[in-house]
Structure formats: C-alpha cells, structure tokens
Amino acid sequence: MAKIIGRVEELAILQSVQADDKSAFVAVYGRRRVGKTFLIRSFYEGQFTFHLTGIANVETDQQLTNFHSALVRYFPELEDNLPAKDWFQAFQQLIKAIESLHLAGKKVLFLDELPWLDTPNSFFISALEHFWNSWASARTDIELIVCGSAASWMINQLINNTGGLYNRVTHQIQLDPFTLAECETFFKAKSVGFDRYQLLQLYMVFGGIPFYLDMIDPRKSATQNINDLCFKPKGKLRNEFDKLYATLFKKADKHIAVIEALAKKGIGLERDALLKATKLPNGGNTSAVLRELEESNFIRKYNTFGKPKNNAIYQLTDFYSLFYLKFIKNNSPFDDNYWINGIDTPEIRAWSGYAFEQVCLMHLSQLKNALGINSVQTQTSAWIGSNGTDKAQIDLLIDRRDHVINLCEMKFSMKAFTIEKEYADNLRKKMSLFAELTKTNKALWLTFITTYGLVQNTHAQSLVHQSITMDALFQ
C-alpha cells in the first residue's frame, strides 16, 4: 500500500469493508483536490476489477464511449463489442463481464467523479440503482466504491436518495482537508524541514489540501513557495480559482458571487445581508447554492452567542479562495515578486490575523484539548454587541457546561505577542460589555491563542487566564 498520511478513520472503514462477508456500497465525497482518488487508489494499490472516471462537461454518448473504453481495458475480450446505447445496457455489460470471471475474493468496482456521469436525461442514477438492487447487493463479493467532488450531488442524489437507492449506501466517507498535524506528518514523510511557523503560513494560504501541498518545493521557504505558486506568471495556483468552482458547480457564477461577498466581510454575513451583497433572489435556488457551498466546505454557517438560529451567519472558510480574492485576483502579472516584497504590509498583516483565526476555528478539538476541557460539554460561537455607545466583537467564545466561558483572542505574530496598555483597556471594555449585554452569570476567562505565546508583562498577568501557542494546534 502506498504511504497514506492520516486518514485513520477512513482506512478503518475500508479495511472493515474488505473483511466483511457481504457486498458493500461505499460513497466517498469531499471538496476537489482533497485526495479522494489517491486514498482509494493507494488503499487498493490500483487492483480494481473495474475502474471508470467520469468526464466533465460532455454528453451522455461520450460518457458511454468512455465506459466502453474502460470495460475493454479490464476485459480485452470485449473489444469487438459496440459501446452501450444507454446506462442500463452499460451496467448489464459490466455484470456479464464480472460473471465471466473465475476469481475468488472481492471484486472492487471504482466509479470516480460519479456526478459527471449523471448527465441530463441520461437516467444514470436509475441504472446504477438497478445495478445495485438487482445484482450487486445480492452477492457477497462486490465492493462498489463511488467518489465525487460535488459534495451536494453525492449527498442529495446518492446518500439521501429517496427513491430506489434509499438507504442503499452501506458506508460513507467524507474526506476532509488535512489538519496541521497531518500536514506536519505529510512534509516529514517527504523529508521537508519546515518549522511550525512556516507550516502555519502555508496552511493559511492553501489549507490542508494535499494536492496544493504536494506542489511545495522543499528547497524554498514558505514565503518563496507562496510567491512562486500564486504570483509568478506560470504559477500553478495563479488561476486555480475559476477551475475549482467551474468543475464543482453548474452555473458557478452564483457560487462565486457568494464567495466574493463573504471574502469582503471577515466575520461573515447574515442571509439578508448576503442576498443584498450578491443581488441573488431570496428563494430555493439561492438556498441550494448556499447548501452546496456549505456541504463542500467552502463556507460555514454558525450562530452568534445569544441569537436565535434563524440569525445564522455565513462565513467563508476556504483558505485558498480567500487568499486568491484578497491578493491574486487583481495582482499585476508583472509584479511576480509581490508576496516576497510585501510580506509585512498592513494589508498582509490584517489578512494574516484573520487567516490565523480561521485556522484556530478549524482546530477546535485541539484547542479544547490544550485547554483541558476536551471532556466538558461546550458550545462554540462568535459574538457582536453594542450598547449604543460602545461596540465589541469576539470571534470565538467557548461556552462551557462547567459554568465558564472562554473569551478567545487569536493573535498571529512573528514573535511573542505583547499586550500594550491601550489594547488591555479595550479587552477590559470588551469583557465588561459582554457581561452587561448577555447578562451571563458564568465566569469569563480571557484566553489567548498565539504563535509564540505572550510577553509576561503586567497586562498579561492581570488579564489573561489561559495562554496557548500554535503548538497546541499541531496536536
């Protein structure tokens, strides 16, 4: 088996499928570039009974021709057969081919990029349903593995199917981006000697997307890699944004409009404000766009402390999309050393602070563990409040069942962070305003999450209850 980083739970599922004495229907989904195909190919070491990859943006006839080519590749004796006229006939051809085998053990069928196969009026889902219900599920030796980057399609058309495929998927694997710990393991396996600060910088731009991380040149610093990949005229990720959304969503302009609107508002937007910013109608189609982006992990929906659920806020969470819209989209192709030359500008410092906050939000379980509250029931949220005179914002608070609320301040810096007097006064006002407006009777513990810790001056010692560094995020 090829070296697979992390993916412990996912590997356990695949191993259980192999060991089971009945057929399995496994659906693997997650955003594009997250490593779904690599996981399946590596686990099975390419030993498939049949493997088909759908083609983007072609008609049903081309998909069926592609199916025929794959069938001939695995069953050369079918070379003289004509391609199937429809998906029902195609699956019947596959059934006959498999039944002609005289091999013991599991037969692994891998259908990659499944949503692309479901072209308009092709009845692909009906044919897949018939294939599974009438033949595969009745056997004990079939492992049907299906993959798709269009998470919404995988969830709505397959996993939550209300027709003939209802409750037919036996195992689900939602593949998420790497955590920081998995990124560290990934680079160690490649003998790349980045320290944690540089790994954090890379994560803030590329997230935990293995496809992007695999492009990193180990001979160069994080700053140089970001510059080369994103700002050089032939940088591999300079034009990734449009490709990313176009291959995931039909009529992606609406999805991109949402992403662009959220990129301008760090804490996010409530639905009404988002509709106003994007000029999208308030209806089912827009709800579908938001759901698709959320299910594909490009945005998240969260509640502010003390507000009802119908006041939920949508926030951009895809690191690359934010970075692209902030810096790459309007960058001059002649300024190919933009990132190296401008690394400490106010604009980049502001982005760094926000991106670090998002990294922290992506690693809440690690933060809870570092705070020693992993066994305490908690709710996490943000908070914005005003008494008419003063206004305050808390990007992360952890409301604990043990009668404590951690008010978290997240600070990205190149050295230990210093709490100056003016900032200390603002912190006291923020805590006072929170207590006044929420009327909470819980203890308020100011918690700092920083790269290199706090300078232990009078303000830090009198205000801060707990302080943890970026090392906690790597656990």
Side-chain angles (χ1 to χ4, degrees):
M1 185 189 302
K3 177 68 173 178
I4 299 175
I5 304 300
R7 311 308 193 194
V8 176
E9 294 180 4
E10 294 84 355
L11 290 173
I13 291 173
L14 294 174
Q15 288 162 353
S16 71
V17 166
Q18 278 201 320
D20 209 344
D21 60 356
K22 56 181 179 291
S23 291
F25 190 166
V26 184
V28 185
Y29 62 99
R31 62 152 286 170
R32 184 166 168 78
R33 313 296 205 189
V34 81
K36 301 179 297 297
T37 302
F38 175 81
L39 173 67
I40 300 303
R41 284 179 173 169
S42 299
F43 179 81
Y44 288 102
E45 298 180 313
Q47 300 303 305
F48 301 120
T49 307
F50 178 73
H51 176 201
L52 172 70
T53 299
I55 305 174
N57 304 316
V58 302
E59 302 296 329
T60 304
D61 287 348
Q62 284 76 39
Q63 300 286 8
L64 289 169
T65 300
N66 181 40
F67 178 92
H68 179 72
S69 298
L71 198 63
V72 170
R73 187 163 60 250
Y74 286 92
F75 303 93
E77 66 274 14
L78 300 179
E79 184 174 8
D80 294 334
N81 289 16
L82 293 175
K85 295 181 180 179
D86 57 46
W87 282 113
F88 287 94
Q89 188 180 26
F91 279 113
Q92 286 302 313
Q93 290 176 348
L94 180 59
I95 289 171
K96 289 181 179 180
I98 294 172
E99 287 180 340
S100 70
L101 296 173
H102 300 287
L103 299 174
K106 292 290 185 72
K107 284 76 175 173
V108 181
L109 316 179
F110 180 30
L111 306 183
D112 200 5
E113 295 298 357
L114 195 75
W116 289 347
L117 298 172
D118 186 31
T119 51
N121 303 314
S122 67
F123 298 101
F124 172 77
I125 281 290
S126 299
L128 178 65
E129 164 198 320
H130 184 68
F131 169 77
W132 177 258
N133 289 338
S134 68
W135 183 77
S137 64
R139 297 172 63 104
T140 60
D141 61 346
I142 300 297
E143 291 183 38
L144 176 59
I145 315 291
V146 299
C147 266
S149 298
S152 182
W153 187 98
M154 293 290 290
I155 292 169
N156 297 325
Q157 301 298 322
L158 197 65
I159 295 169
N160 292 337
N161 186 287
T162 57
L165 283 178
Y166 173 75
N167 212 26
R168 295 298 192 268
V169 173
T170 60
H171 301 79
Q172 300 176 36
I173 296 177
Q174 181 177 5
L175 206 62
D176 293 323
F178 281 161
T179 63
L180 278 168
E182 289 169 330
C183 288
E184 188 172 44
T185 303
F186 175 84
F187 284 114
K188 282 182 178 179
K190 295 165 70 72
S191 300
V192 180
F194 290 135
D195 62 17
R196 287 182 168 177
Y197 183 80
Q198 292 204 77
L199 291 175
L200 189 56
Q201 286 180 297
L202 293 172
Y203 202 94
M204 286 158 53
V205 175
F206 306 121
I209 305 302
F211 183 81
Y212 300 159
L213 300 176
D214 201 38
M215 297 178 182
I216 300 298
D217 186 341
R219 300 165 298 178
K220 298 180 179 180
S221 69
T223 298
Q224 289 174 309
N225 271 288
I226 293 167
N227 192 83
D228 288 356
L229 290 171
C230 300
F231 297 100
K232 293 292 185 183
K234 294 183 179 180
K236 293 179 180 178
L237 295 177
R238 187 177 180 93
N239 299 309
E240 166 73 0
F241 184 85
D242 290 331
K243 299 175 190 173
L244 179 63
Y245 289 92
T247 55
L248 280 179
F249 308 110
K250 295 178 180 178
K251 299 180 180 179
D253 55 316
K254 295 179 180 178
H255 302 79
I256 292 174
V258 171
I259 296 297
E260 289 179 336
L262 293 179
K264 297 174 183 176
K265 191 72 174 178
I267 198 169
L269 294 167
E270 290 186 5
R271 182 186 172 98
D272 287 346
L274 181 57
L275 296 182
K276 182 178 179 180
T278 58
K279 297 184 169 69
L280 291 176
N282 186 10
N285 288 338
T286 300
S287 296
V289 167
L290 295 174
R291 185 173 63 251
E292 288 170 358
L293 286 169
E294 188 178 0
E295 289 169 346
S296 299
N297 289 326
F298 286 102
I299 67 173
R300 73 177 181 121
K301 185 168 67 171
Y302 71 95
N303 295 313
T304 51
F305 185 83
K307 292 286 186 71
K309 289 185 177 181
N310 57 4
N311 287 101
I313 291 177
Y314 293 92
Q315 184 182 47
L316 175 60
T317 56
D318 183 66
F319 291 94
Y320 171 78
S321 295
L322 175 66
F323 187 79
Y324 173 86
L325 293 170
K326 289 286 186 184
F327 301 110
I328 305 174
K329 181 180 180 181
N330 297 317
N331 173 258
S332 167
F334 302 106
D335 191 5
D336 60 358
N337 284 319
Y338 171 82
W339 196 248
I340 292 174
N341 294 335
I343 193 60
D344 200 32
T345 62
E347 183 183 20
I348 290 177
R349 285 200 298 270
W351 162 82
S352 297
Y354 174 73
F356 180 64
E357 291 173 3
Q358 290 303 308
V359 174
C360 293
L361 292 173
M362 292 289 185
H363 292 77
L364 287 176
S365 61
Q366 288 84 351
L367 292 180
K368 286 183 60 179
N369 188 58
L371 293 171
I373 58 172
N374 54 318
S375 61
V376 178
Q377 183 179 343
T378 63
Q379 289 186 333
T380 57
S381 59
W383 177 80
I384 305 173
S386 173
N387 60 6
T389 302
D390 297 314
K391 184 178 180 180
Q393 174 179 319
I394 300 171
D395 294 317
L396 173 62
L397 60 85
I398 305 174
D399 187 7
R400 298 159 44 173
R401 189 70 179 270
D402 58 355
H403 220 66
V404 172
I405 298 177
N406 290 88
L407 306 180
C408 299
E409 291 286 310
M410 297 162 279
K411 296 297 178 183
F412 181 83
S413 62
M414 292 184 286
K415 57 184 179 180
F417 183 79
T418 301
I419 300 177
E420 305 286 359
K421 181 181 184 306
E422 182 180 357
Y423 182 41
D425 291 340
N426 288 336
L427 289 173
R428 291 187 180 92
K429 287 181 181 179
K430 181 186 292 190
M431 295 177 70
S432 176
L433 191 63
F434 179 82
E436 171 194 340
L437 295 179
T438 63
K439 303 190 186 308
T440 182
N441 58 0
K442 292 187 175 183
L444 303 180
W445 288 1
L446 186 61
T447 303
F448 265 76
I449 307 158
T450 62
T451 43
Y452 290 110
L454 293 173
V455 173
Q456 289 303 305
N457 60 13
T458 303
H459 304 303
Q461 292 169 354
S462 63
L463 273 172
V464 180
H465 189 276
Q466 288 173 296
S467 173
I468 56 180
T469 70
M470 64 179 170
D471 288 339
L473 303 174
F474 284 83
Q475 302 307 310

